[in-house]
Amino acid sequence: MKFHVSVFVGVVHFLSLTSGKAVYGNGISQRTFQEIKEEIACYGDVAKAIINLAVYGKAQNRSYERLALLVDTVGPRLSGSKSLEKAIQIMHQNLQEDGLENVHLEPVKIPHWERGEESAVMLEPRIHKMAVLGLGSSIGTPPEGVTAEVLVVTSFDELQRRAPEARGKIVVYNQPYTNYSRAVQYRVQGAVEAAKVGALASLIRSVASFSIYSPHTGIQEYQDGVPKIPTACITVEDAEMMSRMASRGSRIVIQLKMGAKNYPDADSFNTVAEIVGSKYPEQVVLVSGHLDSWDVGQGAMDDGGGAFISWEALSLIKDLGLRPKRTLRLVLWTAEEQGGIGALQYYQLHKANISNYSLVMESDLGTFLPSGLQFTGSDKARAIVEEVMCLLEPINVTQVFRAGEGTDINFWIQAGVPGASLLDDLYKYFSFHHSHGDTMTVMDPKQMNVAAAVWAVVSFVIADMEEMLPRS
Amino acid sequence: MKFHVSVFVGVVHFLSLTSGKAVYGNGISQRTFQEIKEEIACYGDVAKAIINLAVYGKAQNRSYERLALLVDTVGPRLSGSKSLEKAIQIMHQNLQEDGLENVHLEPVKIPHWERGEESAVMLEPRIHKMAVLGLGSSIGTPPEGVTAEVLVVTSFDELQRRAPEARGKIVVYNQPYTNYSRAVQYRVQGAVEAAKVGALASLIRSVASFSIYSPHTGIQEYQDGVPKIPTACITVEDAEMMSRMASRGSRIVIQLKMGAKNYPDADSFNTVAEIVGSKYPEQVVLVSGHLDSWDVGQGAMDDGGGAFISWEALSLIKDLGLRPKRTLRLVLWTAEEQGGIGALQYYQLHKANISNYSLVMESDLGTFLPSGLQFTGSDKARAIVEEVMCLLEPINVTQVFRAGEGTDINFWIQAGVPGASLLDDLYKYFSFHHSHGDTMTVMDPKQMNVAAAVWAVVSFVIADMEEMLPRS
């Protein structure tokens, strides 16, 4: 997950639209909501069959085992790396061998950045070798590094107030972690804001809900007209320590060395597979996760889990001999972490068919025990999705929250297509996010079974209902 | 904390010893338990005064602030290092400046081991640079490292069964974490057991309740007559990954390089300060924590917290103008992590006075919100300690558990002296224990306030009661 997350914590209650004819589907529907409810209720047996297969049956633990094999084999999968391209080739073959339809690769040019060797050593007030991870797209330092005094701030406001002190220094951001959306601004814009006031480099406190001295990397963005300075993340622990040292009046000096380099764009692919619709093959329900990751850990959680429950959704439906009326399309995005590069390419290639997209789904917030579904769409579409989620009562995952957006599906949602994301324990997610700790150890096969069941039931039922989800 | 921990989870209920004359104190007590209860109840106001000062008053957050200043200034404090000796000198001065009595240093010869540069790289089935920390007292590898195939086992039993496969290999232990006491055997004896079956080196899964790809170091022990092989810890994540790889039949090859060296013993000190008893100055209640740590993180939790709430206990009592009948003696141990070296020296120096030790206390399991007190001693002593703990009802820390042992007080407990340890959240403790994550970020000033209040009330009341705690 790159940097979008917006969680509406309240539960949106079922809308009582039980009388009168209402507009559902792309055109004018003549059906009452009661009729739609009855249609959805008919999927009870299908939902139970999917749940039984995924959670208790032959398919249990399959998505976990498949994921473990991939990420143990190729490791992390940074945009532009050979391991990402190896993973894409393996997945292309996996999807073909799984018997899915229209398995193919759609070419994308993606960023190619490498961190190289890097180090950050505190020289004053005492020698201390710090854990550090350069931020994606950052330039490197000269070979001898940048050695400078530190200015510690806790916010952009404080940086503005103390702007005269920043010139020639390394700015250290010790921003609090209130939530991801707020804190991540320091990772994304920290270098630009520091450069504007004359800093030589910037170090940000890792954006993480929990730390065992773990740096958490991620993308950062330069701005035209602002000098590019090297930027990296440090641990919560070191940011807090420097904040204490500074508050005692200690002079802090750091030597930062980064071998980071940006290379010309590399060739990559979105990986696509389908179960072609029986009645409206041109209409689409899209399920997705991204295959790329950061270059640390195994990219098992972000977003191996999302990619593999998306694949699992199609596998489960195929294994049960089901074929929905609409096409179920699996997309494994490339270069999400660099800003949804694969997703933008896909949107541009396919947007002419936008009127035929019923629902776009992305799982990129973990595949732990799901809390429910985040959904963005019209009230009428939401009411339908809430009914569909009732089918998941046997595994107690029925809640529908706001904010279905995700980096890879936002283009569609902004253009009016309903969108959904899987929601689970975000405190856990942001404990491991973009760190060396994003490995299979975080993943739980039983939780992935449940997540896959949710994903399969929602995508199948929406793809099979008589009408597309209504838009605003 | 080195490697002893034994937690009895049940609460020992109050013993009803309310009638008849019973033996309390060193000699024959003529007092009924009811009389002792009444004596303890009289400390209600003193306990409240201590709690008010520590938790709500002027002294709140003092132990946290003092600790932060020390560990930010000197960093971690490995046995034999200059930073440990610097910390001892600073503490000697701190205790004098605090106005404590008989502040002095007692010389101890301590082990001097340094890890040097170290690395572990998986060469097959894929290149993967692993986080690694050599174990204390381990020898190093030749400069070119040890490069060998891996044998992964989950237990010593499995190692025995597969002994013929181990020769010439690197043994990787992926032992489960059921509890610390069990799992730590693999850290302490893993190298010896691997060497017995011809292994070239051993890597153990870090002994930790939680991991974000964090290696957790600690002491290991060679055995006479068994070849010494290099040994280090790796992360839970890498141990699990190699276990999965091995179960798929993959050949795993690792190159391990360790620059570890054992040097001649170094000069160090136990740091001692007192509040001298007003009536029985030769009698002692000992409160303690250890000042040394591993060479990672800041040693803030293990055992900066324990050392600093022990200091704080004396400070609080002094600040309130209290002077117990017996001497309250603070000892800040050196080289606990190397096997209680400072504590052994202290015991040998002071054991002639053992009949005058009423209670030995050590805090070395964290200074988070206390669950209660672990206690080892006679049933009669336990009944008294339970009464004393009732004085802590205002802060809701009244429970008395079994197993008061701790590395630095065990010599005394084994010789019959009652002993007590502070107990808190061990899951949290073993998440950070002996890792880079043992920093001030783990510590909470408010929790330290409560821990210090418990420590001060127990030590003061036991030191001030008319009679010593009865032994078996």
Side-chain angles (χ1 to χ4, degrees):
Chain A
M1 208 272 287
K2 182 206 170 198
F3 59 78
H4 176 90
V5 63
S6 165
V7 178
F8 180 81
V9 292
V11 181
V12 178
H13 295 291
F14 172 66
L15 294 171
S16 291
L17 304 171
T18 49
S19 66
K21 301 288 179 182
V23 178
Y24 292 105
N26 263 351
I28 307 293
S29 170
Q30 295 308 310
R31 304 165 71 211
T32 63
F33 188 68
Q34 187 56 37
E35 287 165 345
I36 292 171
K37 276 182 73 168
E38 285 162 11
E39 181 192 9
I40 293 170
C42 293
Y43 287 101
D45 287 345
V46 167
K48 279 181 197 148
I50 291 173
I51 290 167
N52 282 337
L53 180 60
V55 180
Y56 310 108
K58 272 190 184 172
Q60 67 178 300
N61 303 355
R62 182 169 61 186
S63 59
Y64 174 93
E65 296 295 344
R66 283 169 165 176
L67 175 61
L69 181 59
L70 181 81
V71 303
D72 288 349
T73 303
V74 305
R77 302 167 303 283
L78 183 65
S79 179
S81 70
K82 283 185 181 147
S83 59
L84 174 57
E85 294 320 300
K86 187 175 173 188
I88 290 170
Q89 296 303 330
I90 290 173
M91 287 307 295
H92 184 237
Q93 192 176 341
N94 282 344
L95 298 175
Q96 286 177 316
E97 288 173 3
D98 195 31
L100 296 177
E101 297 156 16
N102 293 338
V103 176
H104 66 281
L105 300 176
E106 300 187 353
V108 191
K109 283 282 185 186
I110 63 173
H112 178 191
W113 171 87
E114 292 182 16
R115 73 174 62 256
E117 291 293 312
E118 51 192 17
S119 66
V121 181
M122 181 188 283
L123 303 176
E124 295 181 34
R126 66 176 168 92
I127 300 284
H128 169 54
K129 196 177 167 190
M130 299 192 288
V132 67
L133 281 176
L135 298 182
S137 84
S138 175
I139 61 167
T141 64
E144 69 277 15
V146 171
T147 301
E149 196 177 333
V150 160
L151 172 68
V152 185
V153 297
T154 56
S155 66
F156 289 134
D157 282 351
E158 185 181 354
L159 181 66
Q160 290 312 310
R161 283 199 305 277
R162 301 179 64 184
E165 296 174 63
R167 183 157 303 277
K169 291 204 180 129
I170 295 174
V171 168
V172 168
Y173 293 101
N174 181 35
Q175 79 285 347
Y177 183 82
T178 47
N179 66 37
Y180 183 73
S181 305
R182 264 180 234 150
V184 78
Q185 303 308 321
Y186 290 85
R187 192 191 79 211
V188 177
Q189 302 162 27
V192 162
E193 295 304 320
K196 283 179 184 169
V197 291
L200 302 179
S202 66
L203 296 171
I204 63 130
R205 170 185 163 134
S206 286
V207 179
S209 49
F210 186 78
S211 181
I212 307 182
Y213 201 69
S214 339
H216 296 240
T217 187
I219 200 72
Q220 70 88 36
E221 292 175 0
Y222 290 127
Q223 227 173 65
D224 287 346
V226 178
K228 294 181 177 182
I229 60 172
T231 184
C233 65
I234 55 174
T235 63
V236 169
E237 287 88 340
D238 281 335
E240 289 191 349
M241 180 174 73
M242 286 193 273
S243 197
R244 288 192 302 273
M245 287 171 165
S247 73
R248 294 185 196 116
S250 299
R251 173 182 146 94
I252 305 167
V253 176
I254 286 177
Q255 180 184 63
L256 175 68
K257 290 186 181 178
M258 292 173 60
K261 268 193 186 168
N262 288 285
Y263 296 89
D265 281 358
D267 291 315
S268 187
F269 305 92
N270 291 320
T271 307
V272 182
E274 294 182 341
I275 295 177
V276 177
S278 61
K279 189 168 174 184
Y280 311 113
E282 75 289 358
Q283 293 181 9
V284 175
V285 167
L286 186 149
V287 291
S288 68
H290 65 86
L291 212 50
D292 68 301
S293 73
W294 284 99
D295 56 339
V296 290
Q298 297 188 298
M301 180 192 79
D302 182 11
D303 181 32
F308 275 66
I309 66 156
S310 295
W311 172 17
E312 185 68 14
L314 269 68
S315 289
L316 291 166
I317 290 161
K318 178 187 63 61
D319 289 353
L320 289 167
L322 299 169
R323 182 178 292 280
K325 297 188 188 71
R326 250 162 243 103
T327 294
L328 261 182
R329 183 174 300 162
L330 168 69
V331 184
L332 306 178
W333 314 103
T334 192
E336 185 274 349
E337 298 291 2
Q338 272 56 32
I341 308 300
L344 175 60
Q345 165 77 9
Y346 179 89
Y347 180 69
Q348 286 167 340
L349 194 66
H350 295 278
K351 66 183 172 187
N353 193 35
I354 193 167
S355 64
N356 280 320
Y357 276 66
S358 180
L359 177 66
V360 289
M361 299 167 66
E362 180 178 25
S363 168
D364 190 17
L365 288 172
T367 51
F368 311 132
L369 198 65
S371 326
L373 203 68
Q374 292 183 286
F375 180 77
T376 293
S378 66
D379 287 349
K380 289 167 185 170
R382 174 176 297 278
I384 293 171
V385 168
E386 285 171 348
E387 279 302 303
V388 172
M389 289 297 284
C390 291
L391 299 168
L392 291 156
E393 260 180 6
I395 47 175
N396 199 24
V397 185
T398 58
Q399 293 194 89
V400 181
F401 303 89
R402 297 270 169 194
E405 284 79 2
T407 303
D408 293 317
I409 55 174
N410 279 353
F411 303 110
W412 300 89
I413 294 175
Q414 282 159 17
V417 178
S421 289
L422 194 69
L423 183 64
D424 55 18
D425 181 349
L426 294 184
Y427 180 85
K428 182 170 176 183
Y429 184 78
F430 288 112
S431 297
F432 300 103
H433 180 249
H434 295 188
S435 81
H436 292 288
D438 180 354
T439 68
M440 285 310 294
T441 295
V442 180
M443 310 304 287
D444 180 310
K446 293 192 191 313
Q447 294 182 348
M448 283 188 78
N449 294 340
V450 175
V454 172
W455 221 223
V457 167
V458 171
S459 61
F460 176 79
V461 175
I462 302 286
D464 195 56
M465 289 175 65
E466 197 45 51
E467 294 181 342
M468 283 177 61
L469 284 181
R471 301 188 185 175
S472 300
Chain B
M1 208 271 286
K2 182 206 171 197
F3 58 77
H4 176 91
V5 61
S6 166
V7 179
F8 180 81
V9 290
V11 182
V12 178
H13 295 292
F14 172 67
L15 294 170
S16 289
L17 302 172
T18 50
S19 66
K21 300 287 178 185
V23 177
Y24 292 105
N26 264 351
I28 306 292
S29 170
Q30 295 308 310
R31 305 164 73 211
T32 63
F33 189 68
Q34 185 58 37
E35 287 165 345
I36 292 172
K37 276 182 72 168
E38 285 162 11
E39 181 191 11
I40 293 170
C42 293
Y43 288 101
D45 287 345
V46 167
K48 278 180 199 149
I50 291 173
I51 290 167
N52 282 337
L53 179 60
V55 180
Y56 310 110
K58 272 190 186 173
Q60 67 179 301
N61 303 353
R62 181 170 60 185
S63 59
Y64 174 94
E65 297 295 343
R66 284 169 164 176
L67 175 60
L69 180 58
L70 180 81
V71 303
D72 288 349
T73 303
V74 304
R77 304 167 302 283
L78 184 64
S79 178
S81 70
K82 284 184 180 145
S83 58
L84 174 57
E85 294 320 300
K86 187 175 172 187
I88 290 169
Q89 297 303 330
I90 291 173
M91 287 307 296
H92 185 239
Q93 192 175 341
N94 283 344
L95 298 174
Q96 286 178 315
E97 288 173 2
D98 196 31
L100 296 176
E101 297 156 16
N102 293 340
V103 177
H104 65 281
L105 299 177
E106 300 187 353
V108 191
K109 284 281 184 188
I110 63 173
H112 179 190
W113 170 87
E114 292 183 15
R115 71 174 64 257
E117 292 293 311
E118 50 193 17
S119 66
V121 181
M122 181 187 284
L123 303 176
E124 297 182 31
R126 66 176 169 91
I127 301 285
H128 168 54
K129 195 177 168 191
M130 300 192 289
V132 68
L133 280 176
L135 298 182
S137 85
S138 175
I139 62 167
T141 64
E144 70 277 15
V146 171
T147 302
E149 194 176 333
V150 161
L151 173 68
V152 185
V153 297
T154 55
S155 67
F156 289 135
D157 283 350
E158 185 181 354
L159 181 65
Q160 290 312 310
R161 284 198 305 277
R162 300 179 65 184
E165 296 174 62
R167 182 156 303 278
K169 290 201 180 133
I170 295 173
V171 168
V172 169
Y173 293 101
N174 181 35
Q175 80 284 348
Y177 183 81
T178 47
N179 66 36
Y180 183 73
S181 305
R182 264 180 232 149
V184 79
Q185 303 308 320
Y186 290 86
R187 193 192 78 211
V188 178
Q189 303 162 27
V192 162
E193 296 304 320
K196 283 180 184 168
V197 292
L200 302 180
S202 65
L203 296 172
I204 62 129
R205 169 183 164 135
S206 286
V207 179
S209 49
F210 185 78
S211 181
I212 306 182
Y213 200 69
S214 340
H216 297 240
T217 188
I219 200 72
Q220 70 89 37
E221 293 176 359
Y222 290 127
Q223 229 174 64
D224 287 346
V226 178
K228 294 181 179 183
I229 60 173
T231 184
C233 65
I234 54 174
T235 63
V236 170
E237 288 87 339
D238 280 335
E240 290 191 347
M241 181 174 73
M242 286 193 272
S243 198
R244 289 192 302 272
M245 287 171 165
S247 72
R248 293 184 197 117
S250 298
R251 173 182 147 93
I252 304 167
V253 176
I254 285 177
Q255 181 185 62
L256 176 68
K257 290 186 183 179
M258 292 173 61
K261 268 193 187 167
N262 289 285
Y263 296 89
D265 280 357
D267 290 316
S268 187
F269 305 91
N270 292 321
T271 307
V272 183
E274 294 182 341
I275 295 176
V276 176
S278 59
K279 187 168 176 184
Y280 311 114
E282 74 290 357
Q283 293 181 8
V284 175
V285 167
L286 187 149
V287 290
S288 68
H290 65 87
L291 212 51
D292 68 301
S293 73
W294 285 98
D295 56 339
V296 291
Q298 298 188 295
M301 179 192 79
D302 182 11
D303 181 29
F308 275 65
I309 65 156
S310 294
W311 172 19
E312 184 68 15
L314 270 68
S315 289
L316 291 166
I317 290 161
K318 178 187 63 61
D319 288 354
L320 288 167
L322 299 169
R323 181 179 293 278
K325 298 188 186 72
R326 249 161 245 104
T327 293
L328 260 182
R329 182 174 300 161
L330 168 70
V331 184
L332 306 178
W333 313 103
T334 192
E336 186 273 349
E337 297 292 1
Q338 272 56 33
I341 309 299
L344 176 60
Q345 165 77 9
Y346 179 90
Y347 180 69
Q348 286 167 343
L349 194 66
H350 296 278
K351 66 183 173 188
N353 193 33
I354 193 167
S355 63
N356 280 320
Y357 276 67
S358 181
L359 177 66
V360 288
M361 299 167 66
E362 180 178 25
S363 167
D364 190 17
L365 289 171
T367 50
F368 312 132
L369 198 66
S371 326
L373 203 69
Q374 292 182 284
F375 180 77
T376 294
S378 66
D379 287 349
K380 289 167 184 169
R382 175 177 297 280
I384 293 171
V385 169
E386 285 171 349
E387 280 302 303
V388 173
M389 289 297 285
C390 290
L391 298 169
L392 291 157
E393 259 181 9
I395 47 175
N396 199 25
V397 184
T398 58
Q399 293 196 88
V400 181
F401 303 90
R402 297 270 169 194
E405 283 80 1
T407 302
D408 292 317
I409 55 175
N410 278 353
F411 303 110
W412 299 89
I413 293 175
Q414 281 159 18
V417 178
S421 289
L422 193 69
L423 183 64
D424 55 17
D425 181 350
L426 294 184
Y427 180 86
K428 183 171 176 182
Y429 184 79
F430 288 113
S431 297
F432 300 103
H433 180 250
H434 295 187
S435 81
H436 292 286
D438 179 354
T439 69
M440 285 309 293
T441 295
V442 180
M443 309 305 286
D444 181 310
K446 292 191 191 314
Q447 294 182 348
M448 283 188 79
N449 294 341
V450 175
V454 172
W455 222 222
V457 167
V458 171
S459 60
F460 177 79
V461 175
I462 301 287
D464 196 57
M465 289 175 65
E466 198 44 54
E467 295 181 340
M468 283 179 59
L469 283 182
R471 302 189 186 175
S472 298

